[in-house]
Amino acid sequence: MTWETVIGLETHVELATKTKIFCSCTTEFGGAPNTHCCPVCMGMPGTLPVLNQKVVELAATAGLALGCAITPVSRFDRKNYFYPDLPKAYQISQLYLPIARDGAVDIGGGKTIRIHELHMEEDAGKLVHDPWLDQTLADYNRCGVPLIEIVTEPDFRSAEEVIAYLEKLKETLQYLGVSDCKMQEGSLRCDVNLSVRPAGSTELGTRTEMKNLNSFKAISRAIVYEAKRQIELLEEGKRVVQETRRWDENKDATYAMRSKENAQDYRYFPDPDLPPVELSQEYLDGLRAALPELAETKRARYQGDWGLPAYDAQMITSQKALADFFEALVALGTDPKQGANWIMGEVLGQLSAHGLEAKDMALTPPTLARLIALVKEGKVNRNTAVKVFEAVFETDGDVDAYIKEHGLEQVSDTGLVEQVVDQVLSANEKSVADFKAGKEKAFGFLVGQVMRQLKGQASPAVVNQVLRDRLS
């Protein structure tokens, strides 16, 4: 029998606001456990939540960008369950009237993923397991961190489609400034609901939910494993149990955690402490007008207006900060293709070497624009410019001062180049003979010897021309 995999996603996104959703505690952690919490986010008796306005703005912005219909009047509900990381014994979320519904994400290849809803909610705390002491500790710093949960319809049929969707979603949210979407830090978390059914069937099978997926690689591997596990069960005449399963990265397998609850098990009811959220058309029109240009639109513009190849445009728009850097270069007069080449080569290379993202680098567009201009003006050659770039990358140093201090200006004296070429030809008669015998590699060797004598400061074009003139 041929089987079809059916997948739906619940993606939790930590919002880029400095305070929690219902109190004024900071969301910028890093300190000791339980030092970023207060009576409100800890659910102490008598405390009252107050909604963070920025959370609503970011959630509505994400909904608009994802093509959702924004709910004019939404409200919060209590999701009741007991777990040690949830001191209130309930989570404030949105079930009945979420802030956004019915969106869509085009993942290419004619495939569109429908978004069922987007809602606001608060995060729970974090349990820290210590196997050596055989104990579990509760850190409530994360309680109340503002999230949006984006729930799709079961439109995915493969791991590849899931990853394409998540990449597009991550890119969109980062360009909007809604979240940094760092999976390794928990800013983007994904639960995968998966079932299998006979090919051609329209009836959904029994689903399982997979958690503990903290990378695209883990998500892809977990989907492949779980689909295979369910198919094997059904082909053996057994049944799939509706449950929540944990992905174990080391064992490359999923393991049962607990039975999977349905909505009624949480005994949802409207939160009595929070009034409904009313959004006027004027407010939504303002958010829509403020939406930034997204990566897909930028890529098309770079190709159409500046003639960049599709690959270059894709690489440059891979990070919003990188695209902003590129546009600043062009605004300073840098040729777009030259700017793209430097970004894809030297900038990305140094970012990788230093373990940085584009938004964190010290180098500024005017510094790189000046260096590119010096190459164009013939003041330094490309190889020397790369050395200068590496020297100033971490400090955004003055390239002109560095070049002057280290005597790196390009040799522009043709007479000096001719003199060095003559010396190299006299000292390498065998290479000269090899070149005249048709061995082109010998020419490259001679160029290298001349550049070496001139300490890499001559124009390669001038050296090539003088050498060919002499050898002809």
Side-chain angles (χ1 to χ4, degrees):
M1 180 183 292
T2 303
W3 297 89
E4 179 181 58
T5 304
V6 180
I7 305 166
L9 296 186
E10 298 171 6
T11 306
H12 295 81
V13 180
E14 186 176 301
L15 298 179
T17 175
K18 302 300 182 184
T19 54
K20 296 186 179 183
I21 185 169
F22 299 120
C23 64
S24 58
C25 285
T26 178
T27 62
E28 295 182 298
F29 309 143
N34 298 311
T35 56
H36 293 275
C37 47
C38 72
V40 174
C41 55
M42 288 290 291
M44 296 296 181
T47 58
L48 292 174
V50 178
L51 179 60
N52 181 345
Q53 182 178 343
K54 187 66 176 179
V55 172
V56 178
E57 177 187 321
L58 294 174
T61 297
L64 290 170
L66 296 172
C68 296
I70 305 300
T71 307
V73 180
S74 62
R75 74 182 188 201
F76 289 97
D77 307 293
R78 290 189 179 183
K79 178 181 181 181
N80 299 274
Y81 67 95
F82 176 78
Y83 206 64
D85 64 2
L86 195 66
K88 296 197 299 283
Y90 65 84
Q91 177 190 34
I92 301 177
S93 185
Q94 293 186 306
L95 176 68
Y96 300 107
L97 289 174
I99 191 170
R101 285 193 175 109
D102 302 328
V105 173
D106 182 357
I107 62 172
K111 180 82 175 188
T112 298
I113 303 301
R114 294 171 296 159
I115 293 176
H116 175 72
E117 69 174 58
L118 179 155
H119 62 257
M120 298 176 283
E121 64 182 24
E122 60 179 339
D123 206 350
K126 180 181 180 181
L127 298 181
V128 181
H129 305 282
D130 190 331
W132 295 103
L133 298 177
D134 191 25
Q135 62 182 210
T136 299
L137 304 176
D139 180 5
Y140 294 119
N141 277 348
R142 206 169 66 184
C143 278
V145 167
L147 305 175
I148 54 174
E149 181 175 346
I150 303 169
V151 183
T152 74
E153 299 289 356
D155 290 344
F156 303 97
R157 297 295 177 266
S158 67
E160 290 74 21
E161 290 182 355
V162 169
I163 301 306
Y165 164 83
L166 289 172
E167 287 177 341
K168 182 70 174 289
L169 181 65
K170 178 180 177 181
E171 175 185 87
T172 300
L173 295 175
Q174 287 177 328
Y175 266 79
L176 292 172
V178 165
S179 173
D180 61 22
C181 293
K182 294 179 179 179
M183 294 193 77
Q184 69 276 16
E185 296 179 7
S187 299
L188 178 69
R189 309 196 293 273
C190 184
D191 297 338
V192 178
N193 291 280
L194 183 147
S195 64
V196 297
R197 64 187 179 189
S201 173
T202 58
E203 184 178 348
L204 294 174
T206 301
R207 67 187 173 95
T208 59
E209 180 183 46
M210 289 181 285
K211 292 183 176 291
N212 194 39
L213 303 169
N214 58 6
S215 70
F216 288 166
K217 180 181 178 181
I219 291 169
S220 181
R221 289 163 59 196
I223 288 171
V224 172
Y225 173 86
E226 182 61 14
K228 182 174 181 290
R229 187 189 73 86
Q230 290 190 20
I231 290 170
E232 289 177 349
L233 282 174
L234 295 172
E235 289 184 340
E236 292 171 2
K238 300 177 182 177
R239 67 185 185 92
V240 175
V241 177
Q242 181 172 308
E243 61 188 358
T244 298
R245 299 180 67 84
R246 177 180 62 86
W247 170 252
D248 189 314
E249 185 74 21
N250 296 321
K251 297 181 180 179
D252 206 24
T254 62
Y255 295 90
M257 289 174 62
R258 58 181 180 269
S259 61
K260 173 61 181 170
E261 303 89 345
N262 291 310
Q264 60 267 28
D265 297 320
Y266 292 114
R267 295 173 288 118
Y268 281 95
F269 64 87
D271 191 294
D273 295 330
L274 288 163
V277 179
E278 298 186 19
L279 303 179
S280 68
Q281 190 59 50
E282 180 182 6
Y283 176 78
L284 295 176
D285 288 343
L287 292 182
R288 187 177 283 107
L291 289 175
E293 183 182 38
L294 299 179
E296 190 172 348
T297 307
K298 282 186 183 291
R299 286 192 283 270
R301 179 164 62 85
Y302 292 174
Q303 293 176 70
D305 293 355
W306 294 329
L308 291 188
Y311 178 80
D312 294 20
Q314 177 70 43
M315 290 291 290
I316 291 169
T317 57
S318 62
Q319 298 180 48
K320 183 179 184 298
L322 209 59
D324 292 342
F325 190 97
F326 170 71
E327 292 190 19
L329 275 182
V330 175
L332 290 166
T334 301
D335 174 74
K337 181 56 180 170
Q338 283 299 313
N341 289 345
W342 275 88
I343 287 174
M344 292 189 298
E346 283 66 38
V347 172
L348 287 177
Q350 286 299 306
L351 288 175
S352 176
H354 290 86
L356 295 174
E357 293 187 5
K359 66 182 179 64
D360 300 321
M361 68 176 169
L363 187 77
T364 59
T367 299
L368 182 55
R370 176 57 180 160
L371 188 56
I372 295 173
L374 290 173
V375 175
K376 183 178 180 181
E377 294 166 7
K379 299 291 180 61
V380 293
N381 62 39
R382 186 67 161 72
N383 291 337
T384 300
V386 170
K387 295 176 183 176
V388 175
F389 173 85
E390 292 172 351
V392 303
F393 177 80
E394 292 185 83
T395 60
D396 194 40
D398 185 327
V399 294
D400 289 282
Y402 186 89
I403 289 168
K404 183 177 181 180
E405 180 183 347
H406 293 82
L408 297 176
E409 284 194 14
Q410 184 165 279
V411 174
S412 56
D413 185 346
T414 306
L416 177 58
V417 174
E418 291 175 343
Q419 179 182 336
V420 173
V421 166
D422 290 340
Q423 292 172 1
V424 168
L425 293 178
S426 297
N428 295 276
E429 293 181 358
K430 183 177 184 307
S431 295
V432 172
D434 287 345
F435 174 74
K436 291 183 176 181
K439 295 181 180 179
E440 190 64 29
K441 285 185 178 180
F443 185 79
F445 171 77
L446 293 170
V447 170
Q449 292 302 303
V450 174
M451 293 298 290
R452 181 180 176 185
Q453 292 270 10
L454 293 169
K455 299 181 180 179
Q457 294 171 230
S459 165
V462 172
V463 171
N464 272 263
Q465 187 59 53
V466 172
L467 258 176
R468 291 198 181 275
D469 290 344
R470 288 289 194 268
L471 291 170
S472 63

